[in-house]
Amino acid sequence: MMTYDGYRKITVRVEDKVGVVVFSDNPPDNYFTLELMEEFSEVLDKFEHDNNVRCVLFTHAGSDFSHSAGPAEDEYMKKTGATIEEMSEHFNTLGGDLLARVIHYSNPTVVAAKGLAMGAAAAFYECFDLRLAGESFVYFDADIFWGAAGTWGMMTTYMPLWLGRNKFLDFLYFGEHFNARQLLELGMVSRVYSDDVLEGAALAVAKKLATAAPLVVKAYKERMYDVLYGDNIPKWRKRELEIGTIVSASEDAKKGIEYGLRGETYEFQGR
């Protein structure tokens, strides 16, 4: 029998064929760290080989989904001696791989979140099949106002296709603070519940999906992505990483992120 003990950033249980993963890292901070990504990737590996898991539900402890990476990047550099460029490459590779893994996971995946979802955690939220939210859910992604360019595949590989041109640009330009109802209109949230019933509602949805025929779910998902992407993903991801590397090395990116973290506005110079 598969066991799911010993994780530091998540707790895991299996209930009525639902693999329930609860993100809990000093809530409400719930920093989206490299360790979290590694632990969740390992759990997904186990779920794929566990006949008792037919649906994955990812939720969280505390009032907020995640305050993004927080101090995780600095901690990684201190621990490994990596440069900021090496850390960024490792973080981007692991993050991009995890998003792709969840997006193309064969069984149904569900995420349930309330409170703040910021930066990398917001991109992670979008990669699940069904995205459930509490009324308090707020999605913060200020890339263009902080001088940052996403490199995990979400912003410029998946979302333009998922949302279409107009809704993608609406999100890009107004994305600093989208609430649950606004995200529902864009199609970025599947359903909205009051915070107090979110967890129970999400589990009920996941348990229902766990009764679906796995071969049919897998076939439909694979065919859908064939229609949407063909064999273009590697080419698009390569281009995204090239652009992201150029932007990240710019003075605008360095100053924009520095100012943004302080709640200030930087006057970009275009270099």
Side-chain angles (χ1 to χ4, degrees), residues 26 29 47 55 67 99 105 111 133 135 155 177 207 210 218 220 226 229 234 267:
N26 191 35
D29 291 332
F47 282 166
C55 180
H67 294 181
L99 259 62
Y105 196 72
V111 63
E135 288 284 1
M155 281 300 290
H177 287 96
K207 287 182 178 180
K218 180 180 180 181
Y220 276 16
D226 284 343
Y229 311 131
E267 185 177 343

Side-chain angles (χ1 to χ4, degrees), residues 66-68 117-124 139-141 143:
S66 174
H67 294 181
S68 194
M118 183 176 180
F124 176 71
Y139 194 113
F140 182 88
D141 195 321
D143 283 358

Side-chain angles (χ1 to χ4, degrees), residues 5-23:
D5 300 323
Y7 296 108
R8 286 170 22 95
K9 306 298 182 181
I10 55 178
T11 60
V12 185
R13 72 180 192 275
V14 177
E15 182 176 334
D16 294 338
K17 294 192 178 296
V18 176
V20 182
V21 180
V22 181
F23 180 20

Side-chain angles (χ1 to χ4, degrees), residues 80-101:
T80 65
T83 65
I84 190 168
E85 291 80 10
E86 291 169 336
M87 177 281 300
S88 180
E89 181 179 359
H90 183 63
F91 202 72
N92 291 338
T93 299
L94 190 59
D97 289 349
L98 178 59
L99 259 62
R101 178 76 186 285

Side-chain angles (χ1 to χ4, degrees), residues 116 138-141 174-179 182:
L116 177 65
V138 177
Y139 194 113
F140 182 88
D141 195 321
F174 293 120
E176 283 186 283
H177 287 96
F178 263 110
N179 63 42
Q182 291 168 321

Side-chain angles (χ1 to χ4, degrees), residues 38-236:
E38 289 166 350
E39 288 187 353
F40 187 50
S41 293
E42 180 178 306
V43 168
L44 287 178
D45 286 339
K46 288 185 175 181
F47 282 166
E48 281 194 321
H49 295 91
D50 189 339
N51 290 328
N52 289 315
V53 176
R54 293 289 175 82
C55 180
V56 177
L57 171 61
F58 189 96
T59 184
H60 63 98
S63 57
D64 289 334
F65 184 57
S66 174
H67 294 181
S68 194
E73 297 174 347
D74 288 339
E75 289 174 1
Y76 176 77
M77 287 188 289
K78 290 176 183 177
K79 180 179 178 181
T80 65
T83 65
I84 190 168
E85 291 80 10
E86 291 169 336
M87 177 281 300
S88 180
E89 181 179 359
H90 183 63
F91 202 72
N92 291 338
T93 299
L94 190 59
D97 289 349
L98 178 59
L99 259 62
R101 178 76 186 285
V102 177
I103 289 167
H104 296 281
Y105 196 72
S106 58
N107 285 326
T109 61
V110 181
V111 63
K114 58 188 177 183
L116 177 65
M118 183 176 180
F124 176 71
Y125 175 89
E126 284 304 313
C127 68
F128 286 79
D129 295 344
L130 289 183
R131 300 154 311 284
L132 310 182
E135 288 284 1
S136 67
F137 188 58
V138 177
Y139 194 113
F140 182 88
D141 195 321
D143 283 358
I144 64 171
F145 299 108
W146 284 28
T151 51
W152 285 23
M154 184 57 66
M155 281 300 290
T156 59
T157 298
Y158 298 112
M159 283 184 64
L161 274 175
W162 293 353
L163 299 182
R165 174 192 180 275
N166 292 354
K167 288 185 176 180
F168 174 76
L169 291 176
D170 288 348
F171 172 73
L172 182 67
Y173 294 151
F174 293 120
E176 283 186 283
H177 287 96
F178 263 110
N179 63 42
R181 293 292 172 181
Q182 291 168 321
L183 292 164
L184 182 65
E185 291 179 5
L186 287 175
M188 296 174 68
V189 161
S190 305
R191 287 185 180 176
V192 179
Y193 302 87
S194 61
D195 284 6
D196 59 328
V197 304
L198 175 64
E199 186 174 344
L203 185 57
V205 168
K207 287 182 178 180
K208 174 65 175 177
L209 290 175
T211 68
L215 293 179
V216 179
V217 171
K218 180 180 180 181
Y220 276 16
K221 288 177 72 171
E222 287 180 352
R223 184 61 189 131
M224 175 184 65
Y225 289 125
D226 284 343
V227 171
L228 285 174
Y229 311 131
D231 58 359
N232 288 310
I233 292 294
K235 176 178 65 177
W236 292 342

